[in-house]
Amino acid sequence: MLIVFHNFVVSITYEYMIKDNNVIIEDRQGEIIEGSQSSKHSDTKKLYIESYGCQMNFSDSEVVASILKEKGYSTTRNIDDAQVVLINTCSIRDNAEKRVRNRLTEFKKKKRDNPELVVGILGCMAERLKKSLLEQEKLVDLVAGPDAYRDLPNLIDEVGTGQRAVNVLLSRDETYADISPVRLDKGGISAFVTIMRGCDNMCSFCVVPFTRGRERSRDPETIVQECKDLFSKGYREVTLLGQNVDSYRWNISNKGEIKNPDKPTVNFAQLMEKVALVSPDLRVRFSTSHPKDMTDDVLRTMASYENICSYIHLPVQSGNSNVLTRMNRGYSREWYLKRIQAIHEIIPDCAVSTDVISGFCGETEEEHLDTLSLMDEVKYDFAYMFKYSERPKTLAERKFEDDIPDEVKSKRLSEIIEKQLKYSLESNKKRVGCVERVLVEGESKRSDEHMCGRTNRNSMVVFAKGDFNKGSYINVKILDCTSATLIGEVI
Ligand code: 5AD
Ligand code: SF4
């Protein structure tokens, strides 16, 4: 287990805990795509693309690579070979933006040596800062927001004719439904499938509704088709991705009315069932759920399919109802605890993880203690924990003062982390002596003599190397654990 301290983020991460949900994934920050070569073999154009932020951004970079592959670009890991350099960015906390700015300054130096190089910024920071990145700061030649990726070939051409190119239009219907993403991990077994984009929730601390626009769902047929294709290529696990998967709806308006009576409607529970039916050997996960929208229907569907994994990421953010009201989360502590109770009643042995923010505007010591006491009640299996970072334009920035001193935010955060470490260890200790069905992911990154894989509840298991293929299911008896990993032997 590794605890990573940053200016604003403190997350309990582990080399294996990288594929869980929509939060920032420390190990993957700055990851570079290297997919298959362009189908247009006469072309030699090279694209270098680096990604930051949440899982959605990593998936979007695969869509971008696919759009540009059609135009003759192949991806490279070597920036010095590239004609086009793109950076897909995150705005969720201030430190995420600082990291990207440092990278852009390095790219600027490359551009000084090679003036023909096209440097572009994509994603949430592009959407948030728009033209200022081109005009005031002159850090990049091209700015494209999350709904403008189909326009990238034109934008690159515009830069080629000496212009600076911007498209930050947000769309009400773009889902890139028809684009088959270039997968990073050739021969991989776990893939992310975007099922919806944007967010309509307006949590007061969150910049996402401003950078990713209105919520919209992707055509379920294209989702199921993508999952079938992945399965046929050897993938054995899909994670359905959205900012709020419980509000997935197809052919249903946001007022709940059927849009086209001649066509079927699909909600999240039904979508999950369709994906589960692709094959009993395809594990299905999803992220992120919202406590105000998670229905018993979804829980019952999870309980009725063995291949839908017993793991729910249900961000609470705070254990105090007044703070939750200021955060505009749409639920109280009591409501949240009832959802946890429903999970345990309907899906026995379901793992639950959460996101917590310390030091939100006006948070009193008593309110903070309520977060700690909620953690005592729920006993989460994992948690992602953050210090509040004020974001421009959000409701909180406009309505409240960011009045909790940094030392107090840090102190509260360390209390939250300390508690979570205790419960993560407790959760893992309960598995010692059990036999777990593990999907083999490959070699352990930390030891040449070990392999690793995940349980249904999303715990990482390491075990001695043997003749096991990636993507196969094996039974492992758990012998020992840390707060982040189970250690076992194959039986
Ligand atoms: N400051 C700190 N944490 C934040 N998150 C979102 N916005 C902020 C912010 N302004 C956290 C929430 C969310 C997760 C993805 O990031 O906990 O669930
Ligand atoms: Fe942000 Fe809230 Fe939407 Fe999550 S649900 S993306 S925290 S506004």
Side-chain angles (χ1 to χ4, degrees):
M1 177 198 61
L2 171 81
I3 303 179
V4 186
F5 283 85
H6 289 276
N7 288 349
F8 293 86
V9 185
V10 178
S11 48
I12 298 181
T13 68
Y14 190 67
E15 61 169 305
Y16 305 117
M17 255 183 83
I18 58 170
K19 291 178 177 169
D20 297 334
N21 50 40
N22 274 355
V23 296
I24 311 301
I25 317 139
E26 282 305 318
D27 319 41
R28 295 194 66 184
Q29 299 309 299
E31 191 169 277
I32 307 155
I33 287 189
E34 192 176 25
S36 51
Q37 297 307 300
S38 154
S39 43
K40 314 263 166 31
H41 42 261
S42 56
D43 280 318
T44 52
K45 293 184 284 189
K46 294 267 191 232
L47 163 72
Y48 174 93
I49 178 166
E50 222 173 76
S51 312
Y52 292 83
C54 67
Q55 197 50 63
M56 188 73 87
N57 259 12
F58 289 85
S59 290
D60 280 2
S61 292
E62 295 178 344
V63 166
V64 166
S66 174
I67 290 170
L68 289 175
K69 186 177 167 188
E70 282 305 300
K71 297 287 170 190
Y73 283 89
S74 53
T75 44
T76 173
R77 297 183 71 80
N78 182 356
I79 192 167
D80 295 320
D81 282 351
Q83 288 82 48
V84 176
V85 171
L86 298 176
I87 181 163
N88 196 353
T89 62
C90 169
S91 290
I92 199 128
R93 282 168 290 273
D94 188 49
N95 69 324
E97 290 202 356
K98 284 200 175 115
R99 176 146 47 176
V100 166
R101 278 182 185 281
N102 288 340
R103 268 318 261 161
L104 283 175
T105 319
E106 287 166 31
F107 293 163
K108 209 174 171 179
K109 287 184 205 138
K110 296 263 173 216
K111 175 120 182 142
R112 219 174 289 145
D113 299 339
N114 174 11
E116 301 287 294
L117 188 69
V118 176
V119 178
I121 181 167
L122 315 177
C124 290
M125 242 176 114
E127 192 61 50
R128 198 177 83 67
L129 298 168
K130 302 188 168 64
K131 280 186 184 165
S132 78
L133 290 163
L134 291 176
E135 289 168 0
Q136 290 152 21
E137 306 188 52
K138 298 200 167 42
L139 277 173
V140 292
D141 312 300
L142 179 162
V143 178
D147 289 342
Y149 299 149
R150 286 183 204 268
D151 197 25
L152 273 170
N154 300 329
L155 294 171
I156 293 170
D157 288 347
E158 272 177 40
V159 176
T161 61
Q163 302 167 61
R164 288 176 188 267
V166 189
N167 185 342
V168 285
L169 289 177
L170 287 172
S171 154
R172 281 188 170 255
D173 47 29
E174 177 63 275
T175 58
Y176 302 110
D178 54 314
I179 292 175
S180 163
V182 168
R183 298 285 166 186
L184 293 179
D185 47 351
K186 277 177 274 169
I189 58 143
S190 182
F192 292 87
V193 177
T194 300
I195 63 164
M196 58 203 295
R197 301 179 70 83
C199 184
D200 284 351
N201 285 321
M202 300 300 269
C203 298
S204 65
F205 51 80
C206 187
V207 77
V208 166
F210 303 94
T211 59
R212 289 192 160 265
R214 300 303 299 268
E215 181 188 292
R216 64 221 99 121
S217 297
R218 175 178 170 191
D219 182 338
E221 292 315 315
T222 67
I223 297 171
V224 172
Q225 192 51 50
E226 190 175 329
C227 294
K228 283 184 180 161
D229 288 348
L230 286 164
F231 187 76
S232 70
K233 288 181 183 136
Y235 284 80
R236 290 295 173 265
E237 181 175 88
V238 289
T239 303
L240 307 178
L241 277 186
Q243 303 293 348
N244 178 3
V245 290
D246 300 285
S247 70
Y248 176 88
R249 54 175 175 259
W250 186 248
N251 195 22
I252 309 170
S253 76
N254 48 12
K255 291 193 185 108
E257 290 148 2
I258 297 177
K259 288 185 187 165
N260 180 347
D262 301 329
K263 291 202 169 154
T265 59
V266 182
N267 63 23
F268 181 57
Q270 292 161 330
L271 175 73
M272 201 158 54
E273 181 165 42
K274 282 174 186 287
V275 175
L277 288 169
V278 167
S279 163
D281 283 334
L282 182 70
R283 276 187 170 174
V284 183
R285 301 186 187 276
F286 55 88
S287 189
T288 296
S289 304
H290 196 302
K292 78 177 164 58
D293 296 320
M294 191 189 65
T295 62
D296 286 356
D297 234 17
V298 165
L299 301 178
R300 280 191 286 267
T301 305
M302 288 176 75
S304 38
Y305 288 89
E306 233 170 83
N307 56 328
I308 304 181
C309 293
S310 304
Y311 168 54
I312 300 185
H313 182 63
L314 197 67
V316 67
Q317 315 295 2
S318 165
N320 176 275
S321 295
N322 292 330
V323 176
L324 290 169
T325 304
R326 295 204 290 283
M327 287 178 164
N328 200 28
R329 287 287 288 176
Y331 56 86
S332 62
R333 174 188 175 105
E334 292 67 35
W335 169 280
Y336 184 90
L337 288 172
K338 282 202 186 120
R339 298 318 298 142
I340 295 286
Q341 198 182 341
I343 293 174
H344 293 313
E345 277 167 15
I346 300 173
I347 317 167
D349 212 22
C350 187
V352 181
S353 64
T354 200
D355 293 345
V356 183
I357 297 178
S358 82
F360 184 65
C361 310
E363 186 187 66
T364 64
E365 192 59 25
E366 289 68 37
E367 289 171 341
H368 162 64
L369 292 177
D370 281 347
T371 297
L372 295 178
S373 76
L374 179 124
M375 294 174 77
D376 287 329
E377 276 195 49
V378 179
K379 301 185 172 63
Y380 292 106
D381 298 275
F382 316 107
Y384 297 87
M385 298 155 278
F386 312 99
K387 268 199 262 186
Y388 174 58
S389 160
E390 186 178 75
R391 307 311 294 131
K393 276 201 193 165
T394 53
L395 282 175
E397 191 237 10
R398 285 182 278 146
K399 262 174 81 177
F400 308 120
E401 203 183 326
D402 180 14
D403 55 354
I404 307 302
D406 195 55
E407 317 83 76
V408 178
K409 286 181 184 170
S410 298
K411 180 185 144 286
R412 291 180 185 169
L413 182 59
S414 43
E415 288 167 11
I416 290 169
I417 290 170
E418 194 183 334
K419 198 166 275 301
Q420 186 50 43
L421 283 178
K422 178 177 129 198
Y423 287 122
S424 293
L425 182 62
E426 228 170 68
S427 153
N428 276 351
K429 276 188 175 163
K430 282 195 200 140
R431 316 314 292 187
V432 174
C434 301
V435 174
E436 300 278 351
R437 189 165 186 251
V438 171
L439 173 60
V440 180
E441 290 192 2
E443 297 199 349
S444 159
K445 282 189 203 155
R446 301 210 164 173
S447 148
D448 292 344
E449 282 144 38
H450 289 84
M451 295 180 82
C452 64
R454 241 165 241 277
T455 69
N456 170 39
R457 301 173 84 251
N458 207 31
S459 301
M460 183 49 76
V461 184
V462 292
F463 46 90
K465 225 179 203 168
D467 192 15
F468 320 115
N469 291 330
K470 261 169 87 171
S472 61
Y473 289 95
I474 54 171
N475 288 322
V476 180
K477 178 155 190 195
I478 307 304
L479 303 174
D480 199 359
C481 69
T482 68
S483 60
T485 319
L486 301 173
I487 300 145
E489 76 182 0
V490 181
I491 56 171

